[in-house]
Amino acid sequence: MRTVKILERILAVIPIMFGVAIVVFLFMRMTPGDPVDIMMGEAGYVSEGEIENLRREFNLDKPLHIQLYLFLADAIRGDLGNSYARRAPVSELIAERLPATIELALGALFVGLVVSVPIGIISAVKQYSAIDRIGMAGAFLGVSMPSFWLGILLMLLFSVRLQWLPVAGRIDYGVELRTVTGMYVLDSILTGNKAALISSLSHLVLPSISLGAAMAATVARILRSSMLEVLRQDYVTLARAKGLVESLVVLKHALRNALIPTITVVGLQVGVLLGGNMIVETVFGWPGLGRLVVQSIFARHFPLVQGAVMVYAFVFVMANLMVDVLYTYLNPKITL
Amino acid sequence: MDTEGKTTAYQQILYPFKLRFQLWGRSGLSFLGELSRQPSALLGGVMVLLFVLMAIFAPQVSPGDAMRGHLREQLIPPVWEEGGNPEFLLGTDVQGRDLLSRIIHGARISLWVGILAVGISASIGTALGAVSGYYRGWVDTIISRFADLLMAFPFLIFAIGMMAFLGPGFTNLLLALTLKCWVVFFRLARGAVMAEKTQEYVEAAKVVGQSNPVIIISEILPNIFHSILVLATLNMGSLIITEASLSFLGLGIQPPTPAWGSMVADGRDYLVTSWWIATLPGLAILALVLSINLFGEGLRDILDPRLKVE
């Protein structure tokens, strides 16, 4: 039964992604002027014939609903169009940058959870203690702080002043690394390359903290409040009355239920990670998808921006789908 | 006949509001009393008020010129650093402009964007949510599906995408922010109206013969207004951060207009030699958003304790 429900849920993603593609298509149409004119402005002198070819390539010579149909048909096949300036398929350019972005997002997720989960639990168990007050004050700061500013502060302190960590990039110049997945930290482990591991990890630290801080703050706050609510419930009192060790009561009985609202927030925070990666990649010169998108916006490479927005939306929708599935395992009472 | 019509309209629509305002007027005092019992919320409220005053009187309180500088006076450090000049308390930027004056003027953009984006989103979202939740049917289906669709985009991605295609500028910025932000108000209002509709007072209003729009506007809306207000305050901070992020990327407010986000971006290239340009405007963002959030959480605890998660 559960499998059927999960499958239904997966199928529901299809119309949403269709809608996303239509919205993105309309985005493109909102641009003042026609995409070819814009590109021509950038490319300098181009002959009439070439402009005609381009119009045909972008299907601009056809009526709007046909354009939409062709756009959707291509998107289903994973064809997000071609980047005129880079003379390569957009999907290829995105795939090339994706490992760096995934690595950063995983780093941020790691920071976000490793910091927030212990703070959230301890703050709830020891409510109004020093740890609770400091942790929640920090979390409050974290939700009120723009990630680009945090990144700049960290860079100023640890890279410029103390010179403990590198300023920008993913790996030191001259460090050899055989690429397997494109995620440098993982690749260094897979190939047993210690020098590359140290170098890539040291590059990953500050961007991950900048990106993960807001998530850590939000998750710590929600976990604390849901733990507080759960800890007051009768079944927790019963578990204590049975004489269970407090750590078992907290971690096994209470945490499991407190995680249910928390996981929803984590899923929504994936959206913050995805958007934030454009910012943090720009701050730290991280050669990922986010930076490519920002550069493409200024270079007016719209097919790439369009494709990337769709990829981001897809990842976000999938992350929330995973949250829904996880839900059913955490709380058997909930059916999708 | 004409006067009769006016009396009815007054009785139907305005009178309940008058009652409500009288109630608010009375509870306004107790609200201030409650606020004073929450030191952090009070502090937040006072800080927000100071920021608003600073923004309104920016030309009067700025010690220098926010737009023009002298190249001779570029990159002067803050007054407490070596080489500081008391004429420029927080130092100057690369064009020799007084940083303090720019930060004071920058409050205008952040507050304007925050207030307008929240105000427009809340109005549209509440109106659509009330209609959806009250009438249900195909209108509700269409708006709700559209809202679900917008939820599939992470906020910042949506805003960045919109700004990429629309181009930078204040109006486009508002458009990009509100086109996504109304959804949270829509969801809240829709759910609240659906719940309120089952209450007895709505039944009573129907029995008395009030029309549906009148019931929505003068019976239901005043009862969900406080929740909307709390949500609006809690959303304002994140909208201000989003605006700052867009301006930081160069997609929001364009130079030379002082916006905190773009000021931080300007300072990035001078991080090694002139740390103050990038860091101090960011401190202003933090201070404003922190104040709004402190005030918002206090407001929530007073007006809408159900939303309080603790």
Side-chain angles (χ1 to χ4, degrees):
Chain A
M1 200 54 210
R2 178 183 279 167
T3 330
V4 176
K5 294 273 179 192
I6 291 174
L7 270 177
E8 267 174 24
R9 203 55 214 244
I10 293 172
L11 287 177
V13 168
I14 296 170
I16 292 182
M17 283 316 296
F18 252 111
V20 165
I22 293 172
V23 169
V24 170
F25 176 80
L26 292 176
F27 260 173
M28 188 75 181
R29 299 296 123 185
M30 279 185 327
T31 327
D34 148 331
V36 173
D37 289 340
I38 292 163
M39 280 187 292
M40 290 308 95
E42 299 295 316
Y45 176 77
V46 183
S47 72
E48 279 295 316
E50 257 180 282
I51 289 181
E52 274 315 301
N53 282 340
L54 271 175
R55 277 189 208 282
R56 213 167 303 128
E57 191 191 321
F58 285 93
N59 300 317
L60 290 171
D61 50 345
K62 301 185 183 70
L64 201 64
H65 62 280
I66 304 283
Q67 285 182 38
L68 177 62
Y69 168 75
L70 291 170
F71 175 73
L72 292 177
D74 281 348
I76 289 172
R77 280 182 274 119
D79 178 359
L80 298 172
N82 289 306
S83 167
Y84 175 70
R86 306 281 290 266
R87 299 199 181 280
V90 165
S91 49
E92 221 168 78
L93 292 172
I94 291 177
E96 206 173 85
R97 292 295 193 107
L98 218 47
T101 292
I102 294 173
E103 183 170 50
L104 176 55
L106 289 178
L109 194 67
F110 178 79
V111 170
L113 295 180
V114 161
V115 173
S116 65
V117 172
I119 288 184
I121 296 173
I122 296 171
S123 293
V125 175
K126 303 227 179 289
Q127 195 185 4
Y128 303 129
S129 67
I131 296 180
D132 179 28
R133 286 181 193 279
I134 295 170
M136 286 308 112
F140 207 85
L141 271 181
V143 291
S144 309
M145 193 184 287
S147 59
F148 60 89
W149 186 64
L150 177 63
I152 282 176
L153 284 191
L154 291 173
M155 192 192 264
L156 190 63
L157 182 63
F158 293 104
S159 310
V160 177
R161 291 283 155 97
L162 298 170
Q163 305 206 333
W164 289 351
L165 292 163
V167 176
R170 290 181 72 192
I171 197 159
D172 285 310
Y173 191 72
V175 175
E176 295 276 334
L177 176 64
R178 192 161 59 85
T179 344
V180 186
T181 60
M183 289 182 255
Y184 288 177
V185 173
L186 187 62
D187 286 353
S188 329
I189 296 170
L190 287 177
T191 55
N193 187 339
K194 209 175 155 199
L197 180 64
I198 293 171
S199 175
S200 55
L201 268 180
S202 67
H203 281 83
L204 187 60
V205 174
L206 295 185
S208 300
I209 296 175
S210 316
L211 187 53
M215 180 181 192
T218 314
V219 174
R221 279 159 62 92
I222 191 82
L223 183 58
R224 173 182 182 267
S225 57
S226 29
M227 276 298 278
L228 281 175
E229 208 172 290
V230 171
L231 284 173
R232 280 189 210 123
Q233 283 177 14
D234 289 344
Y235 80 95
V236 173
T237 316
L238 176 72
R240 281 184 182 139
K242 278 198 306 189
L244 279 186
V245 196
E246 183 65 18
S247 59
L248 206 64
V249 175
V250 171
L251 293 179
K252 199 174 162 217
H253 291 248
L255 184 62
R256 193 181 154 116
N257 279 326
L259 275 181
I260 294 169
T262 311
I263 285 214
T264 319
V265 172
V266 172
L268 291 174
Q269 284 290 313
V270 169
V272 178
L273 287 190
L274 292 170
N277 95 61
M278 297 201 187
I279 311 273
V280 171
E281 285 184 4
T282 304
V283 172
F284 287 95
W286 189 266
L289 182 58
R291 189 147 162 263
L292 181 67
V293 171
V294 174
Q295 287 166 342
S296 304
I297 291 174
F298 289 106
R300 306 196 79 98
H301 295 167
F302 287 130
L304 198 139
V305 180
Q306 183 179 282
V309 169
M310 281 172 62
V311 169
Y312 278 120
F314 182 69
V315 174
F316 188 46
V317 169
M318 292 316 274
N320 283 302
L321 176 72
M322 266 159 68
V323 163
D324 285 351
V325 174
L326 254 178
Y327 239 71
T328 57
Y329 285 95
L330 279 172
N331 187 356
K333 273 194 295 188
I334 294 172
T335 45
L336 286 172
Chain B
M1 193 65 193
D2 206 16
T3 25
E4 209 176 29
K6 265 180 197 160
T7 325
T8 335
Y10 172 74
Q11 278 176 342
Q12 278 195 335
I13 298 174
L14 294 177
Y15 188 62
F17 270 100
K18 193 180 158 203
L19 279 182
R20 185 66 58 171
F21 278 124
Q22 282 172 348
L23 213 67
W24 278 342
R26 246 174 281 143
S27 62
L29 287 174
S30 67
F31 171 75
L32 284 179
E34 282 206 49
L35 195 64
S36 65
R37 274 194 291 278
Q38 298 205 11
S40 59
L42 188 65
L43 177 74
V46 171
M47 290 273 290
V48 173
L49 202 64
L50 286 178
F51 268 109
V52 171
L53 289 175
M54 184 174 102
I56 294 174
F57 298 106
Q60 284 76 29
V61 294
S62 298
D65 193 331
M67 305 291 276
R68 270 192 304 272
H70 296 287
L71 287 180
R72 258 181 303 129
E73 288 155 349
Q74 66 175 331
L75 303 178
I76 296 175
V79 70
W80 61 87
E81 293 259 309
E82 207 188 313
N85 178 344
E87 202 188 320
F88 308 105
L89 284 179
L90 299 182
T92 60
D93 66 4
V94 70
Q95 295 185 42
R97 295 174 297 197
D98 178 38
L99 199 60
L100 178 60
S101 304
R102 284 183 69 73
I103 290 177
I104 291 173
H105 275 87
R108 292 185 153 189
I109 293 288
S110 286
L111 280 169
W112 254 134
V113 170
I115 291 168
L116 285 178
V118 155
I120 298 170
S121 309
S123 312
I124 296 175
T126 308
L128 291 178
V131 169
S132 272
Y134 192 85
Y135 292 105
R136 306 300 303 273
W138 60 271
V139 181
D140 179 37
T141 312
I142 290 178
I143 306 178
S144 295
R145 286 295 87 78
F146 184 57
D148 286 346
L149 183 59
L150 287 178
M151 293 298 279
F153 293 94
F155 198 166
L156 200 55
I157 302 278
F158 184 83
I160 289 175
M162 285 282 288
M163 294 310 283
F165 295 119
L166 290 174
F170 189 80
T171 320
N172 289 347
L173 191 63
L174 275 184
L175 195 64
L177 294 177
T178 47
L179 208 58
K180 168 95 175 147
C181 188
W182 66 272
V183 176
V184 288
F185 295 97
F186 167 78
R187 293 194 150 193
L188 177 73
R190 178 175 175 270
V193 168
M194 269 160 61
E196 293 292 322
K197 207 185 157 187
T198 60
Q199 301 276 319
E200 276 174 13
Y201 75 91
V202 177
E203 287 297 319
K206 274 187 196 157
V207 171
V208 174
Q210 288 190 342
S211 67
N212 285 334
V214 172
I215 293 178
I216 295 176
I217 294 172
S218 63
E219 299 287 338
I220 299 181
L221 277 189
N223 284 331
I224 65 169
F225 181 75
H226 59 283
S227 305
I228 306 280
L229 190 68
V230 169
L231 191 69
T233 320
L234 290 176
N235 262 286
M236 200 162 141
S238 65
L239 279 171
I240 288 175
I241 289 189
T242 309
E243 176 273 316
S245 304
L246 289 169
S247 296
F248 172 78
L249 289 176
L251 295 168
I253 302 298
Q254 296 296 294
T257 309
W260 291 337
S262 49
M263 289 164 73
V264 173
D266 286 344
R268 270 178 64 213
D269 297 335
Y270 306 94
L271 213 52
V272 179
T273 53
S274 317
W275 58 269
W276 54 93
I277 309 174
T279 50
L280 297 179
L283 203 59
I285 304 175
L286 175 67
L288 176 60
V289 175
L290 198 64
S291 315
I292 293 173
N293 285 345
L294 280 174
F295 181 66
E297 300 218 337
L299 204 63
R300 179 197 59 200
D301 294 351
I302 297 167
L303 289 182
D304 207 355
R306 276 172 308 165
L307 281 176
K308 192 178 180 181
V309 263
E310 189 182 337

